[in-house]
Amino acid sequence: MKTLTEFEKFVIEQKGTERPFSGEYVDHDAAGLYRCKKCLAPLYKSEHKFNAHCGWPAFDNEIPGAVDRTLDADGQRVEITCHQCGGHLGHVFEGERLTPNNIRHCVNSVSMVFEATPSEPNTADEYESTQLEQATFGAGCFWCVEAIFAALNGVVKVQSGYAGGEQKHANYDAVCSGRTGHAEVVHITFDPAVVTFDELLEVLFKSHNPTTLNQQGNDKGPQYRSVVFAHTAEQVDKTNKMISSLQEAKVWNDPIVTEVSAFETFYPAENYHNDYFAKHGEQPYCQMVVKPKFEKFKSLFADKLKR
């Protein structure tokens, strides 16, 4: 389960309420799936959402079996909670005639995380699958990590950026200060018919040291932490399973400290960071840090590289 912030704990575990019109999903209208922030269980589809002008996200339906109802102690309202983990979502109201379904799930934005419907690939002729997936990893400086994953067969796109912080914006200078809580990450779009998420995880764990907290080599700070931002509950399960297997195999003497969190928002890095190693391979940092890692990666995964 995701490690919650203090405010998330207040709402989800202590049954608090966020201020009206303050949540990020109040006017959200993208196509996709709303999941429980705490356990990633699917709760609502985007087609269930409507604008009730009430200050909180509103839904007039739910995924069957996803939501439990309990009468508040004062008998005035009906609380709704995640069936899987019991996390507080909000309250449900009937008889308002706002939609044909005549029901309104009034949900705190902070209780949910949104998973967008994957876009259609731009390279349909190259890949057999028409359903691309995404993965988001942090493993130190994103110049290194981007170069590695961009070379993998089945990876359609890799973009450097920032994720995992509490601030609603991110840029390189702010993230490097270590005060925003964001990590340097790569946002990967891949074809699961060519390369699986498990294979991406294998590359991730063999291309950095997951036992050093907030550090990769001489790069130190929370922005360089080892982290997997999972897009689905399945990705959470697969990541935790791989970490357990690596721990049991004693691949490293020290315990793995890789963070596993629910993906929320990705902030693309400034344009000059994209394809940095490819464009600036002679730069001293690239020669001393990126190139040795990249050469090691190529020797380990020669059969998985793009031709």
Side-chain angles (χ1 to χ4, degrees):
M1 290 190 180
K2 182 184 186 295
T3 301
L4 302 177
T5 66
E6 289 304 311
F7 182 66
E8 289 168 349
K9 289 179 181 178
F10 166 69
V11 175
I12 298 171
E13 296 181 346
Q14 300 169 28
K15 304 183 186 301
T17 303
E18 63 190 6
R19 290 182 294 105
F21 299 102
S22 66
E24 64 177 311
Y25 299 134
V26 174
D27 297 317
H28 195 250
D29 60 359
L33 187 67
Y34 293 85
R35 293 180 177 273
C36 172
K37 173 69 70 66
K38 186 174 182 179
C39 70
L40 293 180
L43 301 172
Y44 304 101
K45 297 179 181 179
S46 55
E47 53 261 41
H48 298 156
K49 194 172 186 295
F50 70 99
N51 192 348
H53 305 285
C54 62
W56 292 273
F59 303 86
D60 69 352
N61 207 341
E62 72 213 64
I63 292 175
V67 176
D68 290 338
R69 293 163 171 76
T70 306
L71 189 66
D72 278 351
D74 61 8
Q76 298 298 309
R77 298 187 300 175
V78 176
E79 180 194 8
I80 47 176
T81 55
C82 171
H83 176 74
Q84 180 163 292
C85 71
H88 175 72
L89 301 175
H91 289 84
V92 65
F93 303 91
E94 298 185 53
E96 298 174 322
R97 301 188 183 281
L98 296 175
T99 74
N101 286 348
N102 201 22
I103 191 167
R104 173 170 62 97
H105 291 243
C106 184
V107 186
N108 291 284
S109 291
V110 74
S111 295
M112 303 181 293
V113 61
F114 179 72
E115 177 184 322
T117 300
S119 58
E120 291 297 314
N122 295 323
T123 52
D125 293 337
E126 182 179 354
Y127 293 95
E128 294 180 5
S129 173
T130 58
Q131 190 79 23
L132 301 183
E133 296 182 11
Q134 294 180 322
T136 306
F137 300 145
C141 174
F142 48 29
W143 295 346
C144 302
V145 189
E146 182 197 57
I148 287 171
F149 283 98
L152 282 174
N153 190 29
V155 170
V156 178
K157 181 180 179 181
V158 182
Q159 188 170 14
S160 293
Y162 318 102
E166 296 183 14
Q167 300 294 324
K168 296 298 183 184
H169 56 83
N171 60 65
Y172 189 66
D173 290 339
V175 172
C176 283
S177 74
R179 296 191 296 269
T180 70
H182 292 95
E184 289 193 12
V185 300
V186 291
H187 195 51
I188 303 165
T189 302
F190 66 99
D191 184 345
V194 180
V195 60
T196 66
F197 181 73
D198 283 332
E199 290 174 318
L200 295 179
L201 285 177
E202 181 185 2
V203 171
L204 173 70
F205 283 107
K206 286 187 177 180
S207 60
H208 83 296
N209 185 345
T211 70
T212 52
L213 184 64
N214 297 333
Q215 178 179 354
Q216 285 299 307
N218 292 324
D219 293 326
K220 299 179 181 179
Q223 68 270 31
Y224 298 116
R225 65 188 182 271
S226 175
V227 56
V228 173
F229 291 107
H231 290 254
T232 65
E234 183 181 28
Q235 287 190 359
V236 172
D237 293 340
K238 288 184 174 181
T239 304
N240 287 330
K241 182 178 180 180
M242 180 162 290
I243 290 174
S244 296
S245 297
L246 292 171
Q247 293 275 40
E248 292 174 3
K250 299 187 183 302
V251 177
W252 296 274
N253 293 327
D254 298 317
I256 293 173
V257 296
T258 301
E259 173 189 330
V260 183
S261 296
F263 174 82
E264 294 184 31
T265 305
F266 171 75
Y267 299 92
E270 296 77 357
N271 286 335
Y272 70 86
H273 291 295
N274 294 321
D275 301 317
Y276 195 89
F277 178 58
K279 296 176 180 176
H280 306 282
E282 299 307 314
Q283 193 251 19
Y285 182 89
C286 291
Q287 285 292 307
M288 292 185 292
V289 179
V290 183
K291 186 175 181 180
K293 284 191 174 185
F294 187 66
E295 293 300 324
K296 179 182 178 182
F297 154 74
K298 288 198 298 183
S299 66
L300 290 172
F301 296 98
D303 60 326
K304 292 182 171 60
L305 301 181
K306 292 175 180 175
R307 303 301 178 187

PDB file of all heavy atoms in Angstrom, residues 202-232:
ATOM      1  N   GLU A 202      13.618  -5.820 -14.198  1.00  0.00           N
ATOM      2  CA  GLU A 202      14.922  -6.479 -14.178  1.00  0.00           C
ATOM      3  C   GLU A 202      16.018  -5.514 -14.605  1.00  0.00           C
ATOM      4  O   GLU A 202      17.086  -5.437 -13.976  1.00  0.00           O
ATOM      5  CB  GLU A 202      14.909  -7.701 -15.103  1.00  0.00           C
ATOM      6  CG  GLU A 202      16.230  -8.459 -15.112  1.00  0.00           C
ATOM      7  CD  GLU A 202      16.251  -9.592 -16.122  1.00  0.00           C
ATOM      8  OE1 GLU A 202      15.242  -9.772 -16.846  1.00  0.00           O
ATOM      9  OE2 GLU A 202      17.291 -10.276 -16.211  1.00  0.00           O
ATOM     10  N   VAL A 203      15.754  -4.755 -15.652  1.00  0.00           N
ATOM     11  CA  VAL A 203      16.720  -3.756 -16.105  1.00  0.00           C
ATOM     12  C   VAL A 203      16.926  -2.692 -15.029  1.00  0.00           C
ATOM     13  O   VAL A 203      18.056  -2.291 -14.735  1.00  0.00           O
ATOM     14  CB  VAL A 203      16.255  -3.108 -17.424  1.00  0.00           C
ATOM     15  CG1 VAL A 203      17.142  -1.924 -17.789  1.00  0.00           C
ATOM     16  CG2 VAL A 203      16.246  -4.134 -18.545  1.00  0.00           C
ATOM     17  N   LEU A 204      15.842  -2.247 -14.427  1.00  0.00           N
ATOM     18  CA  LEU A 204      15.934  -1.221 -13.397  1.00  0.00           C
ATOM     19  C   LEU A 204      16.859  -1.660 -12.258  1.00  0.00           C
ATOM     20  O   LEU A 204      17.771  -0.921 -11.861  1.00  0.00           O
ATOM     21  CB  LEU A 204      14.541  -0.919 -12.840  1.00  0.00           C
ATOM     22  CG  LEU A 204      14.501   0.027 -11.629  1.00  0.00           C
ATOM     23  CD1 LEU A 204      14.863   1.442 -12.050  1.00  0.00           C
ATOM     24  CD2 LEU A 204      13.123  -0.004 -10.967  1.00  0.00           C
ATOM     25  N   PHE A 205      16.628  -2.855 -11.740  1.00  0.00           N
ATOM     26  CA  PHE A 205      17.379  -3.289 -10.563  1.00  0.00           C
ATOM     27  C   PHE A 205      18.820  -3.685 -10.886  1.00  0.00           C
ATOM     28  O   PHE A 205      19.667  -3.692  -9.995  1.00  0.00           O
ATOM     29  CB  PHE A 205      16.643  -4.422  -9.853  1.00  0.00           C
ATOM     30  CG  PHE A 205      15.472  -3.938  -9.040  1.00  0.00           C
ATOM     31  CD1 PHE A 205      14.178  -4.168  -9.469  1.00  0.00           C
ATOM     32  CD2 PHE A 205      15.662  -3.221  -7.873  1.00  0.00           C
ATOM     33  CE1 PHE A 205      13.089  -3.706  -8.738  1.00  0.00           C
ATOM     34  CE2 PHE A 205      14.587  -2.753  -7.137  1.00  0.00           C
ATOM     35  CZ  PHE A 205      13.293  -2.995  -7.564  1.00  0.00           C
ATOM     36  N   LYS A 206      19.098  -4.009 -12.137  1.00  0.00           N
ATOM     37  CA  LYS A 206      20.468  -4.337 -12.514  1.00  0.00           C
ATOM     38  C   LYS A 206      21.260  -3.116 -12.982  1.00  0.00           C
ATOM     39  O   LYS A 206      22.464  -3.223 -13.232  1.00  0.00           O
ATOM     40  CB  LYS A 206      20.472  -5.402 -13.613  1.00  0.00           C
ATOM     41  CG  LYS A 206      20.109  -6.794 -13.107  1.00  0.00           C
ATOM     42  CD  LYS A 206      20.289  -7.849 -14.184  1.00  0.00           C
ATOM     43  CE  LYS A 206      19.995  -9.252 -13.628  1.00  0.00           C
ATOM     44  NZ  LYS A 206      20.161 -10.300 -14.670  1.00  0.00           N
ATOM     45  N   SER A 207      20.591  -1.974 -13.092  1.00  0.00           N
ATOM     46  CA  SER A 207      21.273  -0.792 -13.609  1.00  0.00           C
ATOM     47  C   SER A 207      21.506   0.283 -12.543  1.00  0.00           C
ATOM     48  O   SER A 207      21.993   1.361 -12.857  1.00  0.00           O
ATOM     49  CB  SER A 207      20.482  -0.188 -14.777  1.00  0.00           C
ATOM     50  OG  SER A 207      19.179   0.202 -14.366  1.00  0.00           O
ATOM     51  N   HIS A 208      21.137  -0.002 -11.291  1.00  0.00           N
ATOM     52  CA  HIS A 208      21.447   0.952 -10.222  1.00  0.00           C
ATOM     53  C   HIS A 208      21.523   0.196  -8.906  1.00  0.00           C
ATOM     54  O   HIS A 208      21.240  -1.006  -8.836  1.00  0.00           O
ATOM     55  CB  HIS A 208      20.390   2.055 -10.159  1.00  0.00           C
ATOM     56  CG  HIS A 208      19.145   1.713  -9.394  1.00  0.00           C
ATOM     57  ND1 HIS A 208      18.271   0.712  -9.778  1.00  0.00           N
ATOM     58  CD2 HIS A 208      18.615   2.245  -8.258  1.00  0.00           C
ATOM     59  CE1 HIS A 208      17.261   0.652  -8.931  1.00  0.00           C
ATOM     60  NE2 HIS A 208      17.454   1.571  -7.990  1.00  0.00           N
ATOM     61  N   ASN A 209      21.936   0.889  -7.861  1.00  0.00           N
ATOM     62  CA  ASN A 209      22.048   0.280  -6.536  1.00  0.00           C
ATOM     63  C   ASN A 209      20.815   0.630  -5.718  1.00  0.00           C
ATOM     64  O   ASN A 209      20.660   1.777  -5.277  1.00  0.00           O
ATOM     65  CB  ASN A 209      23.308   0.795  -5.830  1.00  0.00           C
ATOM     66  CG  ASN A 209      23.535   0.092  -4.493  1.00  0.00           C
ATOM     67  OD1 ASN A 209      22.646  -0.566  -3.954  1.00  0.00           O
ATOM     68  ND2 ASN A 209      24.726   0.231  -3.950  1.00  0.00           N
ATOM     69  N   PRO A 210      19.918  -0.329  -5.492  1.00  0.00           N
ATOM     70  CA  PRO A 210      18.665  -0.025  -4.791  1.00  0.00           C
ATOM     71  C   PRO A 210      18.799  -0.076  -3.267  1.00  0.00           C
ATOM     72  O   PRO A 210      17.797  -0.021  -2.564  1.00  0.00           O
ATOM     73  CB  PRO A 210      17.728  -1.128  -5.296  1.00  0.00           C
ATOM     74  CG  PRO A 210      18.636  -2.303  -5.483  1.00  0.00           C
ATOM     75  CD  PRO A 210      19.945  -1.729  -5.964  1.00  0.00           C
ATOM     76  N   THR A 211      20.027  -0.198  -2.768  1.00  0.00           N
ATOM     77  CA  THR A 211      20.227  -0.297  -1.314  1.00  0.00           C
ATOM     78  C   THR A 211      20.751   0.986  -0.692  1.00  0.00           C
ATOM     79  O   THR A 211      20.907   1.063   0.521  1.00  0.00           O
ATOM     80  CB  THR A 211      21.215  -1.434  -0.979  1.00  0.00           C
ATOM     81  OG1 THR A 211      22.541  -1.064  -1.394  1.00  0.00           O
ATOM     82  CG2 THR A 211      20.815  -2.741  -1.652  1.00  0.00           C
ATOM     83  N   THR A 212      21.028   1.998  -1.514  1.00  0.00           N
ATOM     84  CA  THR A 212      21.535   3.262  -0.969  1.00  0.00           C
ATOM     85  C   THR A 212      20.395   4.269  -0.901  1.00  0.00           C
ATOM     86  O   THR A 212      19.794   4.612  -1.914  1.00  0.00           O
ATOM     87  CB  THR A 212      22.679   3.813  -1.840  1.00  0.00           C
ATOM     88  OG1 THR A 212      22.264   3.871  -3.208  1.00  0.00           O
ATOM     89  CG2 THR A 212      23.902   2.914  -1.743  1.00  0.00           C
ATOM     90  N   LEU A 213      20.100   4.729   0.286  1.00  0.00           N
ATOM     91  CA  LEU A 213      18.952   5.609   0.498  1.00  0.00           C
ATOM     92  C   LEU A 213      19.269   7.020   0.015  1.00  0.00           C
ATOM     93  O   LEU A 213      20.254   7.637   0.434  1.00  0.00           O
ATOM     94  CB  LEU A 213      18.589   5.639   1.986  1.00  0.00           C
ATOM     95  CG  LEU A 213      17.348   6.456   2.366  1.00  0.00           C
ATOM     96  CD1 LEU A 213      16.093   5.859   1.735  1.00  0.00           C
ATOM     97  CD2 LEU A 213      17.204   6.521   3.890  1.00  0.00           C
ATOM     98  N   ASN A 214      18.424   7.503  -0.902  1.00  0.00           N
ATOM     99  CA  ASN A 214      18.569   8.876  -1.404  1.00  0.00           C
ATOM    100  C   ASN A 214      19.966   9.143  -1.971  1.00  0.00           C
ATOM    101  O   ASN A 214      20.514  10.231  -1.800  1.00  0.00           O
ATOM    102  CB  ASN A 214      18.256   9.897  -0.303  1.00  0.00           C
ATOM    103  CG  ASN A 214      16.825   9.810   0.184  1.00  0.00           C
ATOM    104  OD1 ASN A 214      15.939   9.380  -0.556  1.00  0.00           O
ATOM    105  ND2 ASN A 214      16.586  10.195   1.424  1.00  0.00           N
ATOM    106  N   GLN A 215      20.501   8.152  -2.670  1.00  0.00           N
ATOM    107  CA  GLN A 215      21.847   8.339  -3.221  1.00  0.00           C
ATOM    108  C   GLN A 215      22.121   7.320  -4.318  1.00  0.00           C
ATOM    109  O   GLN A 215      21.768   6.155  -4.210  1.00  0.00           O
ATOM    110  CB  GLN A 215      22.901   8.187  -2.117  1.00  0.00           C
ATOM    111  CG  GLN A 215      24.332   8.320  -2.611  1.00  0.00           C
ATOM    112  CD  GLN A 215      25.347   8.182  -1.490  1.00  0.00           C
ATOM    113  OE1 GLN A 215      24.986   8.089  -0.316  1.00  0.00           O
ATOM    114  NE2 GLN A 215      26.625   8.169  -1.833  1.00  0.00           N
ATOM    115  N   GLN A 216      22.778   7.790  -5.377  1.00  0.00           N
ATOM    116  CA  GLN A 216      23.351   6.922  -6.402  1.00  0.00           C
ATOM    117  C   GLN A 216      24.750   7.466  -6.699  1.00  0.00           C
ATOM    118  O   GLN A 216      24.894   8.546  -7.275  1.00  0.00           O
ATOM    119  CB  GLN A 216      22.508   6.895  -7.668  1.00  0.00           C
ATOM    120  CG  GLN A 216      21.236   6.083  -7.557  1.00  0.00           C
ATOM    121  CD  GLN A 216      21.479   4.618  -7.249  1.00  0.00           C
ATOM    122  OE1 GLN A 216      22.231   3.940  -7.937  1.00  0.00           O
ATOM    123  NE2 GLN A 216      20.852   4.119  -6.186  1.00  0.00           N
ATOM    124  N   GLY A 217      25.756   6.742  -6.247  1.00  0.00           N
ATOM    125  CA  GLY A 217      27.130   7.213  -6.417  1.00  0.00           C
ATOM    126  C   GLY A 217      27.340   8.516  -5.669  1.00  0.00           C
ATOM    127  O   GLY A 217      27.012   8.630  -4.483  1.00  0.00           O
ATOM    128  N   ASN A 218      27.860   9.512  -6.374  1.00  0.00           N
ATOM    129  CA  ASN A 218      28.096  10.816  -5.760  1.00  0.00           C
ATOM    130  C   ASN A 218      26.873  11.723  -5.802  1.00  0.00           C
ATOM    131  O   ASN A 218      26.909  12.837  -5.273  1.00  0.00           O
ATOM    132  CB  ASN A 218      29.267  11.515  -6.456  1.00  0.00           C
ATOM    133  CG  ASN A 218      30.591  10.809  -6.190  1.00  0.00           C
ATOM    134  OD1 ASN A 218      30.807  10.302  -5.097  1.00  0.00           O
ATOM    135  ND2 ASN A 218      31.453  10.768  -7.188  1.00  0.00           N
ATOM    136  N   ASP A 219      25.809  11.274  -6.446  1.00  0.00           N
ATOM    137  CA  ASP A 219      24.574  12.052  -6.499  1.00  0.00           C
ATOM    138  C   ASP A 219      23.757  11.769  -5.242  1.00  0.00           C
ATOM    139  O   ASP A 219      23.268  10.656  -5.047  1.00  0.00           O
ATOM    140  CB  ASP A 219      23.755  11.688  -7.748  1.00  0.00           C
ATOM    141  CG  ASP A 219      24.446  12.100  -9.038  1.00  0.00           C
ATOM    142  OD1 ASP A 219      25.125  13.148  -9.021  1.00  0.00           O
ATOM    143  OD2 ASP A 219      24.316  11.379 -10.033  1.00  0.00           O
ATOM    144  N   LYS A 220      23.618  12.780  -4.393  1.00  0.00           N
ATOM    145  CA  LYS A 220      22.962  12.586  -3.106  1.00  0.00           C
ATOM    146  C   LYS A 220      21.764  13.524  -2.958  1.00  0.00           C
ATOM    147  O   LYS A 220      21.792  14.658  -3.408  1.00  0.00           O
ATOM    148  CB  LYS A 220      23.948  12.833  -1.965  1.00  0.00           C
ATOM    149  CG  LYS A 220      25.151  11.896  -1.976  1.00  0.00           C
ATOM    150  CD  LYS A 220      26.098  12.218  -0.832  1.00  0.00           C
ATOM    151  CE  LYS A 220      27.315  11.294  -0.855  1.00  0.00           C
ATOM    152  NZ  LYS A 220      28.260  11.600   0.250  1.00  0.00           N
ATOM    153  N   GLY A 221      20.729  13.021  -2.308  1.00  0.00           N
ATOM    154  CA  GLY A 221      19.532  13.806  -2.061  1.00  0.00           C
ATOM    155  C   GLY A 221      18.293  13.001  -2.372  1.00  0.00           C
ATOM    156  O   GLY A 221      18.347  12.017  -3.130  1.00  0.00           O
ATOM    157  N   PRO A 222      17.131  13.370  -1.818  1.00  0.00           N
ATOM    158  CA  PRO A 222      15.892  12.613  -2.049  1.00  0.00           C
ATOM    159  C   PRO A 222      15.476  12.571  -3.507  1.00  0.00           C
ATOM    160  O   PRO A 222      14.738  11.680  -3.912  1.00  0.00           O
ATOM    161  CB  PRO A 222      14.862  13.355  -1.188  1.00  0.00           C
ATOM    162  CG  PRO A 222      15.432  14.722  -0.990  1.00  0.00           C
ATOM    163  CD  PRO A 222      16.905  14.538  -0.945  1.00  0.00           C
ATOM    164  N   GLN A 223      15.962  13.529  -4.304  1.00  0.00           N
ATOM    165  CA  GLN A 223      15.623  13.529  -5.731  1.00  0.00           C
ATOM    166  C   GLN A 223      16.284  12.383  -6.478  1.00  0.00           C
ATOM    167  O   GLN A 223      15.905  12.067  -7.608  1.00  0.00           O
ATOM    168  CB  GLN A 223      15.993  14.871  -6.388  1.00  0.00           C
ATOM    169  CG  GLN A 223      17.482  15.156  -6.494  1.00  0.00           C
ATOM    170  CD  GLN A 223      18.039  15.884  -5.279  1.00  0.00           C
ATOM    171  OE1 GLN A 223      17.542  15.710  -4.159  1.00  0.00           O
ATOM    172  NE2 GLN A 223      19.052  16.697  -5.489  1.00  0.00           N
ATOM    173  N   TYR A 224      17.274  11.729  -5.853  1.00  0.00           N
ATOM    174  CA  TYR A 224      17.977  10.623  -6.492  1.00  0.00           C
ATOM    175  C   TYR A 224      17.570   9.274  -5.896  1.00  0.00           C
ATOM    176  O   TYR A 224      18.264   8.276  -6.066  1.00  0.00           O
ATOM    177  CB  TYR A 224      19.490  10.806  -6.360  1.00  0.00           C
ATOM    178  CG  TYR A 224      20.010  12.051  -7.045  1.00  0.00           C
ATOM    179  CD1 TYR A 224      20.604  13.077  -6.316  1.00  0.00           C
ATOM    180  CD2 TYR A 224      19.897  12.201  -8.421  1.00  0.00           C
ATOM    181  CE1 TYR A 224      21.077  14.224  -6.947  1.00  0.00           C
ATOM    182  CE2 TYR A 224      20.358  13.340  -9.057  1.00  0.00           C
ATOM    183  CZ  TYR A 224      20.941  14.348  -8.313  1.00  0.00           C
ATOM    184  OH  TYR A 224      21.406  15.481  -8.950  1.00  0.00           O
ATOM    185  N   ARG A 225      16.437   9.240  -5.197  1.00  0.00           N
ATOM    186  CA  ARG A 225      16.034   8.007  -4.529  1.00  0.00           C
ATOM    187  C   ARG A 225      15.624   6.928  -5.531  1.00  0.00           C
ATOM    188  O   ARG A 225      15.201   7.211  -6.654  1.00  0.00           O
ATOM    189  CB  ARG A 225      14.898   8.258  -3.547  1.00  0.00           C
ATOM    190  CG  ARG A 225      13.572   8.710  -4.142  1.00  0.00           C
ATOM    191  CD  ARG A 225      12.621   9.090  -3.010  1.00  0.00           C
ATOM    192  NE  ARG A 225      11.297   9.497  -3.433  1.00  0.00           N
ATOM    193  CZ  ARG A 225      10.951  10.746  -3.727  1.00  0.00           C
ATOM    194  NH1 ARG A 225      11.879  11.691  -3.719  1.00  0.00           N
ATOM    195  NH2 ARG A 225       9.699  11.029  -4.055  1.00  0.00           N
ATOM    196  N   SER A 226      15.724   5.688  -5.094  1.00  0.00           N
ATOM    197  CA  SER A 226      15.273   4.542  -5.886  1.00  0.00           C
ATOM    198  C   SER A 226      13.774   4.387  -5.670  1.00  0.00           C
ATOM    199  O   SER A 226      13.309   4.242  -4.534  1.00  0.00           O
ATOM    200  CB  SER A 226      16.007   3.277  -5.434  1.00  0.00           C
ATOM    201  OG  SER A 226      15.512   2.134  -6.089  1.00  0.00           O
ATOM    202  N   VAL A 227      12.995   4.432  -6.769  1.00  0.00           N
ATOM    203  CA  VAL A 227      11.541   4.425  -6.601  1.00  0.00           C
ATOM    204  C   VAL A 227      10.854   3.881  -7.845  1.00  0.00           C
ATOM    205  O   VAL A 227      11.306   4.088  -8.965  1.00  0.00           O
ATOM    206  CB  VAL A 227      11.023   5.860  -6.289  1.00  0.00           C
ATOM    207  CG1 VAL A 227      11.444   6.846  -7.367  1.00  0.00           C
ATOM    208  CG2 VAL A 227       9.521   5.881  -6.090  1.00  0.00           C
ATOM    209  N   VAL A 228       9.767   3.168  -7.616  1.00  0.00           N
ATOM    210  CA  VAL A 228       8.860   2.734  -8.681  1.00  0.00           C
ATOM    211  C   VAL A 228       7.515   3.386  -8.404  1.00  0.00           C
ATOM    212  O   VAL A 228       6.908   3.172  -7.348  1.00  0.00           O
ATOM    213  CB  VAL A 228       8.705   1.199  -8.709  1.00  0.00           C
ATOM    214  CG1 VAL A 228       7.621   0.795  -9.706  1.00  0.00           C
ATOM    215  CG2 VAL A 228      10.022   0.527  -9.048  1.00  0.00           C
ATOM    216  N   PHE A 229       7.065   4.217  -9.342  1.00  0.00           N
ATOM    217  CA  PHE A 229       5.729   4.807  -9.246  1.00  0.00           C
ATOM    218  C   PHE A 229       4.796   3.936 -10.076  1.00  0.00           C
ATOM    219  O   PHE A 229       4.796   3.991 -11.307  1.00  0.00           O
ATOM    220  CB  PHE A 229       5.738   6.252  -9.751  1.00  0.00           C
ATOM    221  CG  PHE A 229       6.487   7.198  -8.850  1.00  0.00           C
ATOM    222  CD1 PHE A 229       7.719   7.696  -9.221  1.00  0.00           C
ATOM    223  CD2 PHE A 229       5.958   7.555  -7.619  1.00  0.00           C
ATOM    224  CE1 PHE A 229       8.415   8.556  -8.385  1.00  0.00           C
ATOM    225  CE2 PHE A 229       6.649   8.412  -6.773  1.00  0.00           C
ATOM    226  CZ  PHE A 229       7.886   8.915  -7.157  1.00  0.00           C
ATOM    227  N   ALA A 230       4.010   3.122  -9.392  1.00  0.00           N
ATOM    228  CA  ALA A 230       3.174   2.120 -10.056  1.00  0.00           C
ATOM    229  C   ALA A 230       1.913   2.732 -10.645  1.00  0.00           C
ATOM    230  O   ALA A 230       1.224   3.516  -9.996  1.00  0.00           O
ATOM    231  CB  ALA A 230       2.802   1.025  -9.071  1.00  0.00           C
ATOM    232  N   HIS A 231       1.607   2.341 -11.882  1.00  0.00           N
ATOM    233  CA  HIS A 231       0.413   2.834 -12.572  1.00  0.00           C
ATOM    234  C   HIS A 231      -0.802   1.951 -12.318  1.00  0.00           C
ATOM    235  O   HIS A 231      -1.935   2.375 -12.556  1.00  0.00           O
ATOM    236  CB  HIS A 231       0.681   2.915 -14.077  1.00  0.00           C
ATOM    237  CG  HIS A 231       1.638   4.002 -14.452  1.00  0.00           C
ATOM    238  ND1 HIS A 231       1.247   5.170 -15.062  1.00  0.00           N
ATOM    239  CD2 HIS A 231       2.975   4.101 -14.280  1.00  0.00           C
ATOM    240  CE1 HIS A 231       2.304   5.946 -15.263  1.00  0.00           C
ATOM    241  NE2 HIS A 231       3.360   5.316 -14.798  1.00  0.00           N
ATOM    242  N   THR A 232      -0.574   0.730 -11.869  1.00  0.00           N
ATOM    243  CA  THR A 232      -1.675  -0.204 -11.608  1.00  0.00           C
ATOM    244  C   THR A 232      -1.352  -1.036 -10.372  1.00  0.00           C
ATOM    245  O   THR A 232      -0.197  -1.114  -9.933  1.00  0.00           O
ATOM    246  CB  THR A 232      -1.880  -1.168 -12.795  1.00  0.00           C
ATOM    247  OG1 THR A 232      -0.711  -2.002 -12.929  1.00  0.00           O
ATOM    248  CG2 THR A 232      -2.113  -0.413 -14.098  1.00  0.00           C
TER     249      THR A 232
END
